[in-house]
Amino acid sequence: LMRLTDVWKIYKMGEVEFAALKGIDLEIMHGEFVVILGPSGSGKSTMMNLLGCLDLPSKGVVELNNKDIAKMKESELAQIRGQLIGFIFQTFNLLPTLNTIENVMLPLEFQEADPDESWKRAEELLDVVSLGNKKYNLPSQLSGGQRQRVAIARSLAVDPKVILADEPTGNLDSETGNYILEFLDDLHRREGKTIIMITHDPELTKYADRVVHIKDGMVDNIEIIKRE
Amino acid sequence: LMRLTDVWKIYKMGEVEFAALKGIDLEIMHGEFVVILGPSGSGKSTMMNLLGCLDLPSKGVVELNNKDIAKMKESELAQIRGQLIGFIFQTFNLLPTLNTIENVMLPLEFQEADPDESWKRAEELLDVVSLGNKKYNLPSQLSGGQRQRVAIARSLAVDPKVILADEPTGNLDSETGNYILEFLDDLHRREGKTIIMITHDPELTKYADRVVHIKDGMVDNIEIIKRE
Ligand SMILES: Nc1ncnc2c1ncn2[C@@H]1O[C@H](COP(=O)(O)OP(=O)(O)OP(=O)(O)O)[C@@H](O)[C@H]1O
Ligand SMILES: Nc1ncnc2c1ncn2[C@@H]1O[C@H](COP(=O)(O)OP(=O)(O)OP(=O)(O)O)[C@@H](O)[C@H]1O
Ligand SMILES: [Mg+2]
Ligand SMILES: [Mg+2]
């Protein structure tokens, strides 16, 4: 599904150069549940932006279905970001002027889905994350963990084949967090979705097929988890 | 130090009323290390805003040093928020146009501290949170956990007597998070600071004198931890 070959991401701040990723080689298969685990500042969110085609590498190649993303047309990239991948961002990125249900429906709006069907789907997803009674709240009227759950519900709106989740449970208590993790694992096993979860928390490796350990912008170790 | 007596916080959204806090009674002593523990949406951040004099209750009384905060002058409240209490917000609230060291120095600017001393203090605090090499980065050029650490450093800038921390380690790996927790515990034991930590994570109760369990806007149980 995705392949990173000798990928570097170098940020320039005036004279100073900082390499957030230093020569990453990584393959992610269709239908896999991969966890990318590493400490704060190790390059996880940077890697997510590349995997999600939201950014381009400074050196090396990022391929999606064997095509170099740097060579794709914008229309192709838009379809990938809008239909293939569901994103859960570390900072949630909800639109502050839309209420909860509107925020969840937004990806469907972009796909010009039927409004009644979109509403119904958004309602179901809000029930999954226990926010059915917060439909009309604005993000500013929600707790931190509630905003995170809206971001999770939104990522599933178009029923994408791939979920790209950056610290999806950081603001949730363990009971709520576990419930979400089991829900994602269920989507993985029953529907064959590819789950790429990025986190500093080893607890989230529970359902992973593989754990990619990242440290200081480099892959430290790839752990294959034996599962029945 | 602080006393909440039958405190309610009721949010109105048009016709609908929602009670985030329902009759909270709580006392926090000088020099205590208290953890307020509860699930997502239980009212923790709402309680923090009241304890920090950033908001007023809908019913009931919030007292700081035996004075009703609803009756205080703005000048008195400004001094409390600027000198007595150091805040670590769940959403960090860094100023996007200031770099790391400027963000850390900001509370000192408000107290009209000496600029050279402020710089020196900010540098030391950034070393404590291992961000010495990120002084000139803007918040947008930092990882999630790095922004959280800047917020932590900033809360200590004026060397406040009280630290009010909302989910201070949610974006940090356990090693970094533990280091920060031990640092706060050290300030508590050596300098007698009052630490009020708000979290969903039971791991953070390690150094607490008392744990206040909150659920659905009410105090469920107060646990006193026996410590030598
Ligand atoms: N401005 C508001 N208007 C309406 N409801 C609000 C508002 N702010 C908060 N709430 C509601 O009050 C409740 C408590 O919110 P609060 O932010 O205190 O929770 P919390 O315990 O900090 O949760 P978390 O652990 O998810 O951060 C939530 O159900 C939330 O939806
Ligand atoms: N725009 C930028 N300019 C300069 N440096 C940057 C920029 N964005 C990120 N960095 C740096 O790149 C490194 C990796 O950042 P990244 O956000 O990928 O880390 P992370 O693993 O997601 O961390 P966390 O767990 O704290 O979220 C960090 O040291 C950060 O300071
Ligand atoms: Mg990150
Ligand atoms: Mg909160």
Side-chain angles (χ1 to χ4, degrees):
Chain A
L1 175 63
M2 289 168 181
R3 182 183 300 120
L4 275 65
T5 311
D6 194 35
V7 160
W8 288 70
K9 184 68 190 178
I10 299 166
Y11 291 112
K12 286 193 180 64
M13 288 168 291
E15 287 286 315
V16 180
E17 276 197 0
F18 178 84
L21 295 176
K22 308 170 192 165
I24 302 279
D25 294 307
L26 181 65
E27 280 190 21
I28 295 176
M29 306 303 167
H30 281 279
E32 236 194 324
F33 190 141
V34 183
V35 171
I36 297 172
L37 188 69
S40 173
S42 52
K44 302 182 295 294
S45 299
T46 302
M47 196 188 285
M48 160 152 177
N49 288 336
L50 296 175
L51 291 171
C53 308
L54 299 169
D55 194 10
L56 291 174
S58 314
K59 299 189 211 172
V61 181
V62 178
E63 290 170 284
L64 186 68
N65 291 324
N66 294 320
K67 290 180 82 170
D68 185 342
I69 69 170
K71 302 202 168 83
M72 285 181 181
K73 293 196 210 71
E74 183 51 37
S75 55
E76 206 171 351
L77 290 167
Q79 183 172 13
I80 287 166
R81 295 177 203 136
Q83 292 180 11
L84 176 68
I85 304 175
F87 294 86
I88 303 171
F89 294 103
Q90 189 170 7
T91 49
F92 320 150
N93 300 356
L94 304 180
L95 293 193
T97 51
L98 299 186
N99 64 32
T100 292
I101 195 157
E102 288 167 337
N103 262 298
V104 175
M105 290 197 293
L106 199 62
L108 287 163
E109 298 280 305
F110 281 122
Q111 301 303 320
E112 299 178 348
D114 173 67
D116 294 329
E117 303 230 357
S118 296
W119 183 276
K120 226 160 126 286
R121 173 139 185 97
E123 269 195 318
E124 291 172 7
L125 290 168
L126 285 174
D127 284 338
V128 171
V129 297
S130 312
L131 288 179
N133 60 343
K134 301 287 179 186
K135 283 193 188 66
Y136 304 106
N137 290 46
L138 293 172
S140 59
Q141 297 171 325
L142 293 174
S143 79
Q146 290 169 343
R147 286 174 207 152
Q148 187 156 45
R149 284 182 267 159
V150 176
I152 292 165
R154 181 182 66 181
S155 74
L156 298 166
V158 303
D159 196 23
K161 283 223 178 72
V162 182
I163 310 277
L164 197 38
D166 194 349
E167 310 282 2
T169 59
N171 274 284
L172 302 175
D173 50 280
S174 58
E175 187 178 343
T176 314
N178 260 319
Y179 185 83
I180 303 269
L181 197 58
E182 288 183 7
F183 181 75
L184 291 175
D185 178 52
D186 186 61
L187 290 178
H188 167 236
R189 284 180 299 103
R190 278 194 310 106
E191 298 184 24
K193 288 200 193 305
T194 308
I195 313 273
I196 304 168
M197 191 173 290
I198 288 156
T199 182
H200 60 258
D201 184 0
E203 294 273 320
L204 298 192
T205 59
K206 205 170 8 176
Y207 300 115
D209 295 326
R210 265 195 309 153
V211 179
V212 177
H213 294 265
I214 178 172
K215 198 167 152 64
D216 292 325
M218 291 183 277
V219 173
D220 200 39
N221 162 34
I222 296 182
E223 191 186 348
I224 299 170
I225 311 217
K226 288 266 172 289
R227 314 196 44 225
E228 303 90 62
Chain B
L1 173 63
M2 291 169 180
R3 183 182 300 118
L4 275 65
T5 311
D6 193 36
V7 161
W8 288 69
K9 184 68 189 177
I10 300 167
Y11 292 111
K12 287 194 179 62
M13 289 168 291
E15 286 287 314
V16 181
E17 277 196 359
F18 179 83
L21 296 176
K22 308 169 191 166
I24 302 279
D25 294 307
L26 181 65
E27 278 189 21
I28 295 177
M29 306 303 166
H30 280 278
E32 235 194 326
F33 190 141
V34 183
V35 171
I36 297 172
L37 188 69
S40 174
S42 52
K44 304 182 294 295
S45 299
T46 301
M47 196 187 287
M48 159 152 176
N49 288 335
L50 295 176
L51 292 170
C53 308
L54 299 169
D55 196 9
L56 292 173
S58 313
K59 300 188 210 172
V61 181
V62 178
E63 289 170 285
L64 187 70
N65 291 323
N66 294 320
K67 291 180 81 169
D68 184 344
I69 68 170
K71 302 201 168 83
M72 288 180 179
K73 296 195 210 70
E74 182 52 35
S75 55
E76 207 172 350
L77 290 167
Q79 184 174 11
I80 288 165
R81 295 178 204 135
Q83 292 179 10
L84 176 67
I85 304 174
F87 294 86
I88 304 170
F89 294 102
Q90 188 169 8
T91 49
F92 320 150
N93 299 357
L94 304 179
L95 294 194
T97 52
L98 299 185
N99 64 32
T100 291
I101 194 156
E102 289 167 336
N103 262 298
V104 175
M105 290 195 294
L106 199 62
L108 288 163
E109 299 280 305
F110 281 124
Q111 301 303 319
E112 297 178 350
D114 172 67
D116 294 327
E117 304 231 358
S118 296
W119 183 276
K120 226 163 125 282
R121 174 139 184 97
E123 268 195 318
E124 291 172 8
L125 290 168
L126 285 174
D127 284 338
V128 170
V129 297
S130 312
L131 288 179
N133 60 343
K134 300 288 180 186
K135 283 192 188 66
Y136 304 106
N137 290 47
L138 294 172
S140 60
Q141 296 172 325
L142 294 174
S143 78
Q146 290 168 342
R147 285 174 207 153
Q148 186 154 46
R149 284 182 269 159
V150 177
I152 292 165
R154 181 182 65 180
S155 74
L156 299 165
V158 304
D159 197 23
K161 283 222 179 72
V162 182
I163 310 275
L164 195 39
D166 194 350
E167 309 284 3
T169 58
N171 274 285
L172 302 175
D173 50 279
S174 56
E175 187 179 343
T176 314
N178 261 319
Y179 186 83
I180 303 269
L181 198 58
E182 288 183 5
F183 181 75
L184 291 175
D185 178 52
D186 186 61
L187 290 178
H188 167 235
R189 283 179 299 103
R190 279 194 310 107
E191 299 185 23
K193 288 200 192 304
T194 308
I195 313 272
I196 305 167
M197 192 173 291
I198 288 156
T199 182
H200 60 258
D201 184 359
E203 294 274 320
L204 298 191
T205 59
K206 207 173 359 179
Y207 301 115
D209 296 325
R210 265 195 309 151
V211 180
V212 178
H213 294 264
I214 177 172
K215 199 168 153 65
D216 292 326
M218 292 183 277
V219 172
D220 200 36
N221 161 33
I222 296 182
E223 192 187 346
I224 299 170
I225 310 215
K226 287 267 171 287
R227 311 192 47 223
E228 302 89 62

